[in-house]
Amino acid sequence: MPACSLACMTTIGSLSRAELGARMAREGIVLQTGCFSVHLRSSVPALADGIALMYRDFPVHAADAFSDFQIEIVRPATLRRWYRPQVNMLFDGHALFQPLPLAQAFPMFEWGLNWCVANRAHRYLMIHAAVLERGGRAVILPAPPGSGKSTLCAALAHRGWRLLSDELTLVRPDDGLIVPVPRPISLKNASITVMQQYLDQPVFSPPVADTMKGTVAHLRTPTDAVTRGAECARPGWIVFPRYEAGAASTLETLERAHTHMEMAKNAFNYSLLGARGFDMLADLVSHVRSYRYTYSALDDAMAVFDELAAQP
């Protein structure tokens, strides 16, 4: 999608809530999220509310436009429609997951779209990691659940770094650049309160309790990340973050061999790509500086990442 086309596109925010809901329920919408487009159809009001709030700045195409993925969020035509109501996600017309409570319609869409990318976009090397850009260079933040990766990503995205993704780092095979997939940042449990207090007037989706991940909420994508959603970035750093209560801010340099092994553990399709995946990851690791970063205070972390960005 050419970057110059964004200015003349219809955005979610240009549609009234009533028009958005009617289009989603009738023929669906094609939502542009960085390099991917998704045809979304649903008559669930809570989902339309979430799309209106979280995707305000995102381009939306006519329902007959090309889309990479076809998703429907529907209520089952059973007694569950009235008793403990649920929603199902259909991908290309097929249900792939167990139904969830109706209140989880928006998180289900977000999780489902992550699944679509992770299971279908094998033209890229896909790494489970947040990724942000500053000065044309990207920092990749791979980390297991509970490491503070999403909290750190949310803070950086509102402190001078451009969000490329909070979940999926996509490496393009022909030139090794990182392809943006900006979407709302998923936060859970204590991280929600932390970011509500840390950021200046953040826009969150309503928290949803009792999900498989606990209480979850999504933070709206900064407008700049959306409007620059077609601008790729050159990898600059790989930082393995780890939140540890009371810990000092510590940045430790990592050897390339160790970085390669740890990155391979976080790659969705490293084995699937075979020798090509090995070569792509080896090339990525050889062109970046790699660190392990332990932190407890976000202000300390912002200072450390500012110093990284200042490196020549």
Side-chain angles (χ1 to χ4, degrees):
M1 179 185 61
C4 61
S5 67
L6 288 173
C8 58
M9 283 185 180
T10 301
T11 62
I12 290 292
S14 68
L15 304 176
S16 70
R17 171 60 183 81
E19 183 180 2
L20 174 63
R23 286 177 57 174
M24 286 178 58
R26 190 173 57 246
E27 70 271 15
I29 60 171
V30 174
L31 184 64
Q32 190 75 43
T33 59
C35 63
F36 298 111
S37 58
V38 53
H39 184 280
L40 173 62
R41 185 172 179 271
S42 179
S43 60
V44 176
L47 179 57
D49 290 341
I51 296 295
L53 181 65
M54 291 288 99
Y55 284 88
R56 179 195 64 182
D57 301 318
F58 284 74
V60 60
H61 310 281
D64 59 354
F66 170 81
S67 61
D68 295 283
F69 312 116
Q70 299 269 342
I71 292 178
E72 290 183 75
I73 304 294
V74 300
R75 296 179 63 179
T78 65
L79 289 178
R80 280 293 194 181
R81 188 172 184 86
W82 314 109
Y83 176 71
R84 294 183 179 176
Q86 295 180 325
V87 287
N88 285 322
M89 178 186 137
L90 306 182
F91 174 67
D92 287 346
H94 301 284
L96 300 179
F97 311 106
Q98 294 295 320
L100 294 178
L102 179 61
Q104 298 182 27
F106 184 75
M108 187 178 213
F109 167 70
E110 290 294 320
W111 298 329
L113 187 48
N114 285 340
W115 182 93
C116 290
V117 176
N119 285 273
R120 292 294 184 270
H122 295 302
R123 61 185 179 275
Y124 304 108
L125 175 64
M126 292 185 287
I127 301 163
H128 184 204
V131 58
L132 305 101
E133 173 268 338
R134 187 162 165 180
R137 294 181 292 175
V139 59
I140 300 170
L141 305 173
S147 63
K149 177 261 296 177
S150 293
T151 307
L152 181 59
C153 173
L156 290 169
H158 290 79
R159 291 291 188 274
W161 291 77
R162 175 170 63 105
L163 176 69
L164 303 184
S165 175
D166 81 316
E167 286 287 342
L168 297 164
T169 296
L170 305 183
V171 184
R172 197 161 63 184
D174 53 346
D175 55 14
L177 296 182
I178 307 297
V179 177
V181 197
R183 294 197 359 245
I185 299 173
S186 176
L187 296 169
K188 59 183 180 294
N189 303 319
S191 293
I192 300 170
T193 302
V194 168
M195 297 316 299
Q196 286 173 334
Q197 296 173 348
Y198 188 75
L199 301 179
D200 182 25
Q201 297 183 326
V203 179
F204 275 93
S205 64
V208 179
D210 300 323
T211 78
M212 59 184 177
K213 299 183 179 183
T215 297
V216 300
H218 288 80
L219 175 64
R220 182 190 283 169
T221 314
T223 299
D224 179 64
V226 180
T227 57
R228 297 173 62 193
E231 295 181 26
C232 297
R234 174 170 56 91
W237 311 269
I238 296 172
V239 179
F240 295 87
R242 182 178 63 193
Y243 173 81
E244 186 177 313
S249 177
T250 306
L251 191 68
E252 172 192 358
T253 301
L254 295 178
E255 295 181 353
R256 288 178 179 173
H258 180 80
T259 301
H260 188 124
M261 289 188 293
E262 290 300 313
M263 289 287 282
K265 294 177 184 177
N266 285 276
F268 287 110
N269 59 347
Y270 179 75
S271 298
L272 180 65
L273 294 175
R276 184 185 181 201
F278 177 90
D279 291 341
M280 289 180 65
L281 187 54
D283 184 66
L284 169 65
V285 170
S286 69
H287 286 88
V288 302
R289 298 173 183 178
S290 302
Y291 305 94
R292 187 180 309 283
Y293 179 56
T294 304
Y295 75 101
S296 61
L298 284 172
D299 284 341
D300 290 342
M302 297 304 100
V304 166
F305 280 81
D306 284 346
E307 291 177 7
L308 287 180
Q311 291 178 351

